[in-house]
Amino acid sequence: MKKGLFISLILTSILLISRAQSTPKLGIDPIADVIAAMTKEEKIRMVLGTKLLGNPSGEPIIGYTDTLVVGAAGTTFGITRLGIPSVVMADGPAGVRISPTRKNTNETFYCTTFPCAMSLASTWNTELVEMVGEAMGNEGKEYGVDILLTPALNIHRTPLCGRNFEYYSEDPLVSGKIAAAMIRGIQKNGIGTSIKHFAANNQEINRRSISANMSERALREIYLKGFEIGIKESNPWTVMSSYNKINGVYTSESFDLLETILRKEWNFNGFVMTDWGGGKNPVDQMFAGNDLLMPGHYEQMLKLIKASEEGLLDEAVLDRNIKRILDCVIKTPRFQGYNYSDKPNLTKHAGISRDAASEGIVLLKNENSTLPLGVETKIVLFGNTSYDTYKGGIGSGDVHSSYKVSVYDGLKNVGFRLSENLFNKYKDYLAELNKSYKIMKGKPVVPKPEMKLSEEEIIELEKESDMAIMTIGRYSGEFADIASYYYLTKEEMSLLKSIYKIFNKKGKSVVVILNTGSVMDVSQWNHMADAILSTWYSGQEAGNAIADVITGKVNPSGKLATSMPLSYEDFPSSAHYPGYPVENPTNVDYCEDIYVGYRFFTSFNIKTEYEFGYGLSYTEFGYSDLKKAVDFSNNEIHISFKVKNEGKTAGKEIAQLYISAPSAGKNKPAKELKAFSKTRLLQPGEEELIETKLKFSDLASFSEKENAWIVESGKYSIEIGASSLNTLLSESFNLEKKMKVLETTPVLPLKKNIAILKL
Ligand code: BGC
């Protein structure tokens, strides 16, 4: 043998042997090899967040980590020898939630508070939401975050849910489309999202233990549909299971939910994490396909080790879950060595936040064109939240921004001259009040009592002004629901009454601004307001965005993504909320079934104060030229129509398409939203052609009897208009044959008899 060949053979064998003996590395070697090189202990640590709560030396705070990015919600376990980094997760729905300050540095790490989810949904503008997502994702990436724990899209089943501000709508299509846009925007940056809380986390009362009991039809058509749309359209990297149970089973322990529906039916290929400390049995969670337990608990580790020693935890299950986690880790900026700046463009993002916030404002009432106002108008500004405006809600959905703009600041910024005297009075009053005012974790937030003003004082203020604005605020969030604060408090009502009486007598108007994280009662007092703006939690630029709408710089184009009925009792969930036993509920029966929100009001002819899809503009729109073409070869319907700005001000319109299915004996809602479209800014006289396509499968309802999504035969009506009640164009088409669009396996059966509402 030639000497050269001999040496090269030797070298190759050395290389091969050393290769075989060297430790595999993530990103270089196959993931299966990396997993095979883990010890049993390492495998168990990989399916737990790094926090290890309850660890004798561990830190006790949930949703907060000091490692890597201070104040982020949690981190995954890393194994350096295998090239696996620990990756960072941070909340949440209204911006990146991290700590704004750090030990040993004067540098700050503020983030933008964007408008809350409910405000974003009220824009019905998927392009805008995608832009917000892109900015939010960029901030996350520049601060070293790998996965943002958003979007949250639980259905607004009750107006009392403390976290409604983090969720989008009572309707799954709006929720799903807005969530899909948010995911697209964030993930464009190459960081991940976690669509949450999967599923049916519709109240805060006993959220960690309550069983939401419902039919499979309601589960699939209402509570899962938005997730299905978000996941299929935008492929989030991760899903977060919810705290609650569905029909007696913790969602994080439900194979039906996480494997059968999420993975088998919807082809989700990312990983599933628990909500922070969610569920009970880590072995069941592993088996159910809840791959990662966050933020990680010492007890969970002991239980998994024990189960594994006793042969009760199949190693193949662990391997499967770890593979899903690593498939995601490999995509993260941290794994790819991204050199983050800690300096996102906060100025640019503040501008995006302001634009989005103004578009989410819903003009509910505008008698005699009270709004918009010229900046020369002399306004008296009442209400605590005019001066201390809520930018966001409580808990993990809150963001640490460096400032917030109150309604007062915003109006001043655009040139209104406001009473300094009254400002100082409110400032002193609020400072004094705040000394004793406390928010108790787990208890409904009591609204701050309004400052008392005598009629004489209000008369004096009226004399120097042209009109009054009163802001009414509600603070809400994680850990507690809203309780009786759905209605105005006695003090608020009496202040509004006095203001209205005094100003109205002098022919001066009163405008009410709502600064809330959910819908609240309007029926008992809206006769005392000439104009009403529902502004939600508008983020750090709240006051500027509100001023933009008040001056007409922005023509309001938001519409309600959740109905405002005549009374709390009109919500179909009200008879069954918060569950039973009342003092400490363990179960809540979703007896209203699929009749949530406008599906209920329109099917049972219940009058609402402001219906789903409603919102006014400073201009008017005309609808025309509805055309439809049924394409039987592709199982589609093509629909087009025109929207024209017929008023004198430029504006945007949200056109909605509802379908009434053939209903005889079929227990179908009177109508269901199947598509929506927001026009561009239309100048007076300008027109936009809207074209949309529905698949026959979009018309399907879920049949428990047939275990399938079914499109019934018969006549379908198409209703196009400006709200769920304001139909402006209609058409119909016939489907001759009934169609089974998807067969399913029965899942999550109801374990008790509940009195399900039927039409
Ligand atoms: C919330 C989640 C959040 C997590 C981490 C939980 O309490 O329910 O929405 O992502 O904390 O902060």
Side-chain angles (χ1 to χ4, degrees), residues 55 57 68 108 112 211 268 277 328 369 375 387 431 491 502 525 603 618 713 731:
N55 173 358
S57 64
L68 299 177
T108 54
T112 308
S211 175
F268 172 69
C328 177
S369 301
V375 291
Y387 298 89
E491 292 81 16
I502 292 162
W525 55 265
S603 305
Y618 297 151
S713 60
E731 253 290 4

Side-chain angles (χ1 to χ4, degrees), residues 276-333:
W276 269 226
K280 217 170 194 161
N281 184 333
V283 180
D284 289 351
Q285 288 173 316
M286 285 297 107
F287 176 71
N290 196 119
D291 311 295
L292 178 66
L293 311 182
M294 287 303 290
H297 202 291
Y298 193 61
E299 267 299 305
Q300 290 169 328
M301 182 175 78
L302 299 183
K303 282 187 185 162
L304 290 175
I305 292 174
K306 185 160 178 274
S308 154
E309 281 167 1
E310 289 171 357
L312 299 173
L313 175 60
D314 193 348
E315 201 160 338
V317 168
L318 276 182
D319 291 355
R320 174 196 71 179
N321 296 0
I322 295 169
K323 159 109 175 47
R324 291 169 179 163
I325 298 169
L326 293 182
D327 279 340
C328 177
V329 166
I330 236 170
K331 297 191 280 192
T332 59

Side-chain angles (χ1 to χ4, degrees), residues 92-97 111-114 139 391 393 395-401:
V96 182
R97 180 177 168 81
C111 296
T112 308
T113 307
F114 291 94
E139 251 171 65
K391 69 173 176 48
S396 57
D398 192 16
V399 180
H400 304 294
S401 47

Side-chain angles (χ1 to χ4, degrees), residues 76-95:
T76 61
F77 189 67
I79 309 176
T80 317
R81 120 192 124 73
L82 300 175
I84 304 173
S86 174
V87 306
V88 177
M89 300 170 182
D91 284 298

Side-chain angles (χ1 to χ4, degrees), residues 63 73 91 149 163 196-197 207 240 243 275-276 396 478:
D91 284 298
L149 304 174
R163 292 187 90 173
K196 69 186 187 183
H197 311 91
R207 65 173 180 173
M240 186 191 290
Y243 282 129
D275 197 346
W276 269 226
S396 57
E478 215 178 328

Side-chain angles (χ1 to χ4, degrees), residues 396-455:
S396 57
D398 192 16
V399 180
H400 304 294
S401 47
S402 60
Y403 67 87
K404 67 169 180 186
V405 182
S406 67
V407 176
Y408 172 81
D409 297 333
L411 292 177
K412 274 194 74 168
N413 288 346
V414 293
F416 286 102
R417 279 173 296 119
L418 301 164
S419 157
E420 286 288 314
N421 255 344
L422 193 58
F423 167 74
N424 286 326
K425 250 184 145 171
Y426 268 103
K427 204 170 105 193
D428 294 346
Y429 169 76
L430 288 168
E432 194 51 38
L433 184 71
N434 288 343
K435 286 186 193 156
S436 53
Y437 179 82
K438 288 219 163 39
I439 292 170
M440 315 271 280
K441 194 170 167 189
K443 296 267 181 301
V445 183
V446 181
K448 289 182 184 170
E450 283 297 338
M451 183 168 81
K452 289 215 166 36
L453 286 159
S454 66
E455 296 223 334

Side-chain angles (χ1 to χ4, degrees), residues 328-545:
C328 177
V329 166
I330 236 170
K331 297 191 280 192
T332 59
R334 191 155 264 95
F335 179 79
Q336 299 189 351
Y338 182 69
N339 191 8
Y340 54 93
S341 63
D342 273 336
K343 300 248 171 320
N345 189 342
L346 295 179
T347 313
K348 178 176 160 205
H349 296 170
I352 295 175
S353 183
R354 178 175 181 162
D355 292 347
S358 61
E359 205 164 320
I361 292 173
V362 184
L363 177 64
L364 294 174
K365 182 173 179 183
N366 197 19
E367 287 296 291
N368 307 317
S369 301
T370 303
L371 296 176
L373 302 174
V375 291
E376 67 293 342
T377 316
K378 285 190 243 130
I379 302 168
V380 196
L381 195 55
F382 296 99
N384 296 336
T385 42
S386 287
Y387 298 89
D388 186 10
T389 308
Y390 298 126
K391 69 173 176 48
I394 298 165
S396 57
D398 192 16
V399 180
H400 304 294
S401 47
S402 60
Y403 67 87
K404 67 169 180 186
V405 182
S406 67
V407 176
Y408 172 81
D409 297 333
L411 292 177
K412 274 194 74 168
N413 288 346
V414 293
F416 286 102
R417 279 173 296 119
L418 301 164
S419 157
E420 286 288 314
N421 255 344
L422 193 58
F423 167 74
N424 286 326
K425 250 184 145 171
Y426 268 103
K427 204 170 105 193
D428 294 346
Y429 169 76
L430 288 168
E432 194 51 38
L433 184 71
N434 288 343
K435 286 186 193 156
S436 53
Y437 179 82
K438 288 219 163 39
I439 292 170
M440 315 271 280
K441 194 170 167 189
K443 296 267 181 301
V445 183
V446 181
K448 289 182 184 170
E450 283 297 338
M451 183 168 81
K452 289 215 166 36
L453 286 159
S454 66
E455 296 223 334
E456 291 68 40
E457 284 174 292
I458 300 175
I459 289 169
E460 282 313 304
L461 289 163
E462 175 275 314
K463 280 184 192 155
E464 322 158 356
S465 66
D466 301 321
M467 60 160 323
I469 295 185
M470 176 174 172
T471 308
I472 297 168
R474 285 288 175 279
Y475 202 27
S476 64
E478 215 178 328
F479 317 117
D481 283 345
I482 293 166
S484 54
Y485 305 116
Y486 174 77
Y487 289 99
L488 291 198
T489 63
K490 257 207 229 119
E491 292 81 16
E492 287 166 340
M493 190 64 111
S494 98
L495 178 61
L496 179 59
K497 266 188 189 154
S498 307
I499 296 170
Y500 183 69
K501 191 175 85 187
I502 292 162
F503 279 75
N504 186 260
K505 203 164 152 198
K506 291 288 163 70
K508 298 179 182 176
S509 49
V510 175
V511 175
V512 172
I513 296 174
L514 293 174
N515 173 207
T516 65
S518 188
V519 292
M520 69 179 289
D521 174 68
V522 282
S523 299
Q524 293 190 352
W525 55 265
N526 61 352
H527 58 281
M528 293 188 285
D530 299 282
I532 307 173
L533 290 170
S534 198
T535 70
W536 323 112
Y537 300 149
S538 281
Q540 67 186 43
E541 289 284 328
N544 286 336

